[in-house]
Amino acid sequence: MSDFADSPAVRRLDDWDRERLESLAAEYDTPLYVMDLDRVKENYARFSTAFPDAHVMYAAKAHTGKAVLEAVLEVGGTIECAAWGELQRSIDAGADPNELQYTAVNPPDHDLDYATDLAADNPGLTITIGAMDTLERLAERGYDGRIAIRINPGIGTGHHEKVATGADAKFGIPYERVPEVADRVREDFDLVGLHAHAGSGVLTDGLEDHCRAISRIGEMARRVGDEDLEFVDVGGGYGVPYREDDEPLDLEKTSNMVREAVGDLDARLKLEPGRYVVADAGLILSEVNTIKEAPDTTVVGIDASLATLIRPAMFGSYHPMLNVSAPEREAHEVTVGGPVCTSADVFAHDRPIARPERGDVVAIGNAGSYGYELASQFHSQPRPAEVALEDGDARVVRRRETLADVTRVERESGQ
């Protein structure tokens, strides 16, 4: 693992092998997701090395592809899940159910049915609750096993208000109610930990607010008796630099600040990186199909869309872009958009890119996190293929959908 941990702290879009990317686009067509599993392993190992005494779990919601989960497990990782599908996919990838943690957020009945059935044969499974209702529903199902309480610290952090979960009433038990809930859990369940997640996409300059939330978690752990807890889970949210001039997360500083913020504990520290592990391990390859001169800009149409990558439309997110086919051309400021019929389907406005021409392959970087996970069939577009790179080889880990795949559930229902 030490070789992985010594890898560069950030992988820029320029660091990818352009000739390899062009060959992948030619062989597998576009739009195409590409995931570098070696980079996934490097990122997980580097993060774990920065927290040598902590338990580091990969947050599966960032990318639940089987190949990615297998890569995390290969380097000794465990997995945190937020839904029953993630539990099942983790098990399919080879995870021991006794090492999984399920963080329930307003869970539907089928989620709790699945989790409690799984725990009946795997008592090491941990269920994290964020509401008393969830505890009562678990009791109704005869569950009396391992429980962690999700705290709402009242402090949200991250790159966008829609991911600042620490200040959102949807997530976690209100801070001052935690001791009362802890007493209730201890009556009929095994209280093993406390959990919180302040937000997502935190870089070094956002650590102060992030650690203010973490300090509240540590305070509450001592208040409810951390000597009786197995762990204190401060969540994930650790970011990567999306813009070319942003600095990578300073892991040494992060580790020191997190440990100082949480304070002295008998319980073990637990963290849940997701984005940090997979974001810069993935990109999208897309082909230019339209060049249109408009009064105020040049519009470059590509075959990827918000159905392929919704983050720019949902969060206003910046993703680096590179003309893989001709990086030596003079850069022109262009607007890059896809084929979906909405003004939201734009990846970049006035972005300097080596002058695109029809047929060029464009790469969209940092797409490994919440990329394929949020892909859709909007406009009845089949979802793209995904290729994994590992040890110099490439293989398809998700085939490209066909139009028959898009309509299959209707046809199978007799429509």
Side-chain angles (χ1 to χ4, degrees), residues 35-327:
M35 286 298 298
D36 186 338
L37 301 182
D38 294 323
R39 182 64 181 172
V40 170
K41 297 172 194 176
E42 292 170 5
N43 289 341
Y44 179 86
R46 187 185 322 102
F47 191 96
S48 297
T49 300
F51 292 90
D53 300 322
H55 180 180
V56 176
M57 306 188 80
Y58 167 63
K61 61 182 174 290
H63 192 300
T64 56
K66 185 178 181 183
V68 168
L69 297 178
E70 288 174 339
V72 170
L73 293 170
E74 183 181 325
V75 288
T78 53
I79 301 172
E80 181 268 339
C81 304
W84 69 320
E86 292 177 11
L87 288 169
Q88 182 62 62
R89 297 188 75 168
S90 298
I91 293 167
D92 290 345
D96 180 351
N98 287 290
E99 295 181 344
L100 295 175
Q101 183 168 314
Y102 166 49
T103 305
V105 180
N106 301 334
D109 284 342
H110 53 65
D111 271 55
L112 292 188
D113 291 341
Y114 181 94
T116 52
D117 287 348
L118 184 62
D121 295 322
N122 301 277
L125 176 74
T126 301
I127 298 179
T128 305
I129 63 158
M132 278 295 292
D133 266 6
T134 305
L135 195 67
E136 294 168 5
R137 293 164 68 202
L138 287 170
E140 291 169 0
R141 287 163 170 77
Y143 181 79
D144 61 0
R146 294 166 57 85
I147 291 287
I149 298 173
R150 180 167 186 167
I151 303 170
N152 185 313
I155 299 171
T157 60
H159 69 89
H160 193 279
E161 62 181 10
K162 292 181 181 178
V163 300
T165 54
D168 189 334
K170 175 182 175 180
F171 300 95
I173 303 290
Y175 191 78
E176 290 303 326
R177 289 200 59 204
V178 172
E180 166 196 346
V181 174
D183 289 342
R184 171 67 185 90
V185 171
R186 283 175 168 136
E187 290 176 6
D188 297 306
F189 304 86
D190 182 13
L191 178 61
V192 296
L194 298 183
H195 170 281
H197 179 75
S200 184
V202 176
L203 290 174
T204 308
D205 58 4
L207 283 173
E208 188 171 335
D209 284 343
H210 185 73
C211 286
R212 282 198 301 117
I214 289 175
S215 68
R216 300 203 82 199
I217 306 166
E219 291 168 6
M220 184 55 69
R222 288 180 286 274
R223 187 168 161 186
V224 302
D226 67 288
E227 66 278 2
D228 296 324
L229 298 176
E230 182 181 307
F231 63 82
V232 173
D233 185 343
V234 298
Y238 304 98
V240 298
Y242 283 80
R243 294 183 180 273
E244 292 87 346
D245 55 354
D246 285 346
E247 291 297 319
L249 181 69
D250 185 332
L251 270 184
E252 182 178 0
K253 183 176 182 179
T254 301
S255 179
N256 291 336
M257 288 183 67
V258 167
R259 290 190 175 281
E260 182 178 353
V262 78
D264 292 331
L265 293 173
D266 289 332
R268 189 180 188 189
L269 178 66
K270 184 181 282 191
L271 302 101
E272 301 170 2
R275 183 190 310 272
Y276 185 90
V277 176
V278 293
D280 74 358
L283 55 72
I284 297 166
L285 298 177
S286 183
E287 183 175 308
V288 175
N289 53 53
T290 302
I291 305 290
K292 180 173 66 174
E293 297 297 336
D296 298 322
T297 188
T298 298
V299 177
V300 176
I302 61 176
D303 59 7
S305 72
L306 62 77
T308 315
L309 178 70
I310 201 172
R311 294 190 73 254
M314 181 180 289
F315 301 120
S317 302
Y318 180 99
H319 283 264
M321 303 188 76
L322 174 70
N323 187 341
V324 174
S325 298

Side-chain angles (χ1 to χ4, degrees), residues 376-383 402-403 406-407 410:
S376 74
Q377 295 173 339
F378 186 45
H379 267 7
S380 293
Q381 293 190 94
R383 281 174 290 206
T402 65
L403 188 55
V406 175
T407 59
E410 293 173 296

